[in-house]
Amino acid sequence: MKVLNHRFRLKSTEPTKPGGILYMCSINNRIFQYGVGYTITPDLWDMETKRPTTIKEKIKEYKKHIPDIGTHLTNINNRINNICHGVETFINHSRMEGKEIDHIALTKYLNDKVKLSERTIDNKAKRPKTSINTKQEIDLKLISDYTQKFVVDIENGLRTIQNGKNSQKVYSHGTIGNYKGFLSQWTLFEKKQPKKYQWDDLNRNLYNQFLQFLYKREYSANAAGRHIKNWKVIAQAAFDDQIHVNKAFRESYFKTISSKVDNIYLTEEEVHKLELIDLSNRPAWEKARDLFLIGCYTALRFSDIKTINPKDFHIISVKDKNGKFIKVKFIEKITQKTKGWVKIKVKSKLDHLLNKYNYHAPQLPEQKVNDYIKEIAKVVGIDTPIQKNETIGGKDLISVYDKYRLITTHTARRTAATHMYQQGIDRKYIMAFTGHTTLASFEKYICMDFEEKAQAAADSKWFD
């Protein structure tokens, strides 16, 4: 069974008339066609790549008349990529089950998995949460004013990611929140001076002043480093927009500081304690506990956990150790952060838990989950003293915390990855579950305490 190259073509060839986009591929010498669900003006379509144009000058010209054209082109690219992956996934499933490719079933699969479940940006359907102060003239040479405009643009999809593997994609909600955080801290910093800084003021002294401001607010090295990183990105954007020509942000002293974080995970015994506690009289706590357990059972990020719904589940046939085909239930999702597909086997505990909610994830804000899970963990006795090396306010400190105080939604993801590793699952398979693409980033999620490392050393023949 062979699938030829994915192809896309326009239904209309009139330069100024928007037309639909058609997907085509050959499966077993039969042409499969599928409407992408978006229209595009042929002038914005690259006939060589068969994708929306990436020519900035052309897009900029269209923005004068269609402000959200950048978002529209990004959504088309996302839809195209997801259709290609969806076709390949459907064919792989059919191969495993020994079935012929049914074009009608493939169309339904794409409708369910791509068109109906995919989140795209619709500027008409939502209003920006950040707005530029129109009571006074905006001066983009001021760091604060340009940053404010930058945040508005990325929040509305008018400015997309410029570099890296996510180039031309819209910014995620979490990343937008980080830039808003920088804007908030920069505003407070200028009030303390008091002074409005321009991009031409960037130098070693201003860098040190802002860093010391963050340290006085007792920011950790990593938290301060994130603000510096965001500052550098915005400075580069302003440079690219020809607002300034100051390259100080590229100098070696303009460092994005960081420090190693001692991460925690929960042992199987501690997870079991959370499973056993009866929270039926505390509905919000119960939802928080269940959302946390879903993370422990799947290794999904919270942003993906909260969108779980019945359409994410499917059953496929796989061979067991004896070579017999057995039915296995999987969750398959496009992750919010990386936009990649992950496929995770459904544990019996997960199946039982989600059945309680008709296979929809319970809904609760992440901050509430973080607050409640600490309280629950305290009640069940997850209070082992944890020593942490921290850099806070520019000072290296050794702090001791009761374990429950360090638990967050991300602890569940680390817990799942660590338990898989401890059970002997190959790292490349765990990475397929977690969505990590590099071994270095994945290994940060594997947590082992001193006793476990000592046991591993004792069991190793290398030390004989």
Side-chain angles (χ1 to χ4, degrees):
M1 185 180 297
K2 182 180 179 181
V3 180
L4 299 180
N5 292 334
H6 303 289
R7 291 174 290 159
F8 294 87
R9 70 173 180 84
L10 301 185
K11 295 180 180 179
S12 172
T13 57
E14 295 184 28
T16 59
K17 182 179 179 181
I21 307 170
L22 187 66
Y23 166 79
M24 296 185 299
C25 71
S26 177
I27 305 174
N28 291 345
N29 297 319
R30 290 181 58 202
I31 298 297
F32 172 76
Q33 298 187 29
Y34 184 75
V36 171
Y38 281 100
T39 62
I40 188 172
T41 302
D43 187 43
L44 289 173
W45 183 258
D46 190 323
M47 297 304 294
E48 291 186 6
T49 63
K50 305 299 182 184
R51 298 291 191 277
T53 184
T54 57
I55 300 175
K56 293 183 179 180
E57 293 78 11
K58 184 174 289 188
I59 297 173
K60 188 175 182 180
E61 185 65 28
Y62 271 79
K63 277 187 177 180
K64 295 177 181 179
H65 309 287
I66 310 174
D68 62 347
I69 191 63
T71 301
H72 182 66
L73 299 182
T74 298
N75 287 340
I76 292 175
N77 270 317
N78 288 344
R79 177 66 60 79
I80 283 174
N81 293 335
N82 290 338
I83 287 174
C84 293
H85 191 280
V87 170
E88 292 169 1
T89 299
F90 182 87
I91 289 173
N92 288 336
H93 290 172
S94 298
R95 282 178 175 172
M96 293 177 66
E97 296 177 359
K99 296 179 180 179
E100 289 292 326
I101 305 298
D102 183 337
H103 285 205
I104 296 177
L106 175 54
T107 298
K108 184 178 184 304
Y109 179 86
L110 292 176
N111 286 340
D112 293 341
K113 292 293 183 179
V114 177
K115 282 188 177 177
L116 295 182
S117 66
E118 181 186 38
R119 294 182 64 187
T120 56
I121 291 183
D122 180 1
N123 286 321
K124 295 180 181 179
K126 67 179 184 181
R127 298 178 180 177
K129 297 178 182 178
T130 306
S131 60
I132 295 177
N133 183 3
T134 56
K135 293 182 179 179
Q136 58 185 21
E137 186 178 351
I138 298 299
D139 183 358
L140 297 183
K141 291 184 179 180
L142 293 174
I143 295 176
S144 56
D145 283 13
Y146 182 88
T147 300
Q148 190 178 21
K149 183 179 185 302
F150 179 91
V151 169
V152 171
D153 287 349
I154 64 175
E155 193 170 23
N156 288 291
L158 301 179
R159 181 185 292 272
T160 56
I161 299 170
Q162 297 301 303
N163 299 303
K165 63 180 181 179
N166 292 320
S167 177
Q168 304 306 314
K169 294 183 178 180
V170 296
Y171 287 84
S172 68
H173 294 296
T175 302
I176 293 171
N178 288 335
Y179 284 113
K180 285 184 175 181
F182 166 74
L183 176 58
S184 175
Q185 293 308 310
W186 183 260
T187 301
L188 291 174
F189 168 70
E190 288 190 328
K191 286 182 178 179
K192 290 283 185 181
Q193 300 306 309
K195 180 180 178 180
K196 287 280 189 178
Y197 290 96
Q198 296 187 349
W199 289 111
D200 289 342
D201 295 325
L202 283 182
N203 56 30
R204 185 192 296 269
N205 183 52
L206 183 58
Y207 168 85
N208 288 332
Q209 283 183 330
F210 184 57
L211 188 59
Q212 289 305 313
F213 165 80
L214 296 174
Y215 281 163
K216 287 179 181 178
R217 294 178 64 82
E218 296 190 342
Y219 272 85
S220 68
N222 290 325
R226 281 194 295 273
H227 286 309
I228 299 296
K229 177 184 176 181
N230 293 333
W231 191 13
K232 288 165 69 75
V233 171
I234 297 169
Q236 180 66 57
F239 182 88
D240 293 340
D241 289 346
Q242 299 181 352
I243 303 299
H244 69 89
V245 293
N246 187 353
K247 297 182 180 180
F249 65 94
R250 296 181 183 174
E251 296 292 338
S252 59
Y253 66 77
F254 220 104
K255 296 179 181 178
T256 301
I257 59 175
S258 64
S259 64
K260 184 179 178 181
V261 178
D262 299 323
N263 295 305
I264 66 163
Y265 79 104
L266 302 191
T267 65
E268 291 187 5
E269 180 183 358
E270 289 169 335
V271 172
H272 193 51
K273 288 181 178 180
L274 294 178
E275 292 169 340
L276 290 179
I277 184 173
D278 182 5
L279 297 172
S280 56
N281 62 333
R282 302 288 297 272
W285 279 31
E286 185 173 31
K287 286 182 179 180
R289 186 271 312 274
D290 290 349
L291 283 163
F292 186 84
L293 289 178
I294 292 172
C296 293
Y297 298 152
T298 63
L300 286 171
R301 296 180 182 86
F302 186 81
S303 58
D304 298 314
I305 291 172
K306 67 182 182 181
T307 63
I308 288 177
N309 65 81
K311 293 179 180 178
D312 295 327
F313 296 85
H314 58 84
I315 298 175
I316 66 173
S317 296
V318 298
K319 289 184 178 180
D320 63 13
K321 295 180 180 179
N322 299 318
K324 294 182 179 180
F325 280 98
I326 58 173
K327 299 289 185 180
V328 180
K329 182 182 288 187
F330 279 85
I331 290 179
E332 185 178 19
K333 292 185 71 65
I334 299 175
T335 61
Q336 293 295 313
K337 182 176 181 178
T338 66
K339 306 304 180 186
W341 288 75
V342 293
K343 186 188 299 180
I344 305 160
K345 182 181 177 182
V346 176
K347 291 172 57 112
S348 57
K349 288 183 177 180
L350 174 63
D351 198 44
H352 177 74
L353 189 156
L354 285 172
N355 184 56
K356 181 168 65 174
Y357 298 98
N358 295 318
Y359 293 90
H360 288 86
Q363 296 301 301
L364 201 65
E366 184 172 14
Q367 188 54 56
K368 290 294 184 182
V369 178
N370 284 332
D371 293 340
Y372 294 152
I373 197 62
K374 289 179 174 61
E375 295 294 332
I376 299 167
K378 180 180 180 180
V379 170
V380 300
I382 302 177
D383 53 8
T384 304
I386 301 294
Q387 181 172 291
K388 291 192 67 178
N389 298 312
E390 301 178 299
T391 302
I392 298 178
K395 300 177 181 179
D396 291 330
L397 304 173
I398 298 178
S399 307
V400 178
Y401 298 91
D402 290 331
K403 191 171 185 177
Y404 67 83
R405 294 180 59 193
L406 304 176
I407 299 175
T408 67
T409 57
H410 218 61
T411 305
R413 180 166 158 82
R414 295 183 186 281
T415 296
T418 302
H419 287 182
M420 291 181 201
Y421 182 77
Q422 291 172 339
Q423 292 295 321
I425 299 177
D426 192 295
R427 284 180 292 188
K428 66 181 180 181
Y429 295 122
I430 305 176
M431 288 172 66
F433 300 145
T434 61
H436 286 104
T437 56
T438 66
L439 190 59
S441 60
F442 163 73
E443 287 186 336
K444 294 177 182 178
Y445 278 73
I446 302 302
C447 310
M448 294 180 70
D449 58 28
F450 178 79
E451 288 76 11
E452 290 168 327
K453 292 175 182 177
Q455 185 62 55
D459 294 339
S460 174
K461 295 181 180 180
W462 190 86
F463 289 96
D464 291 347

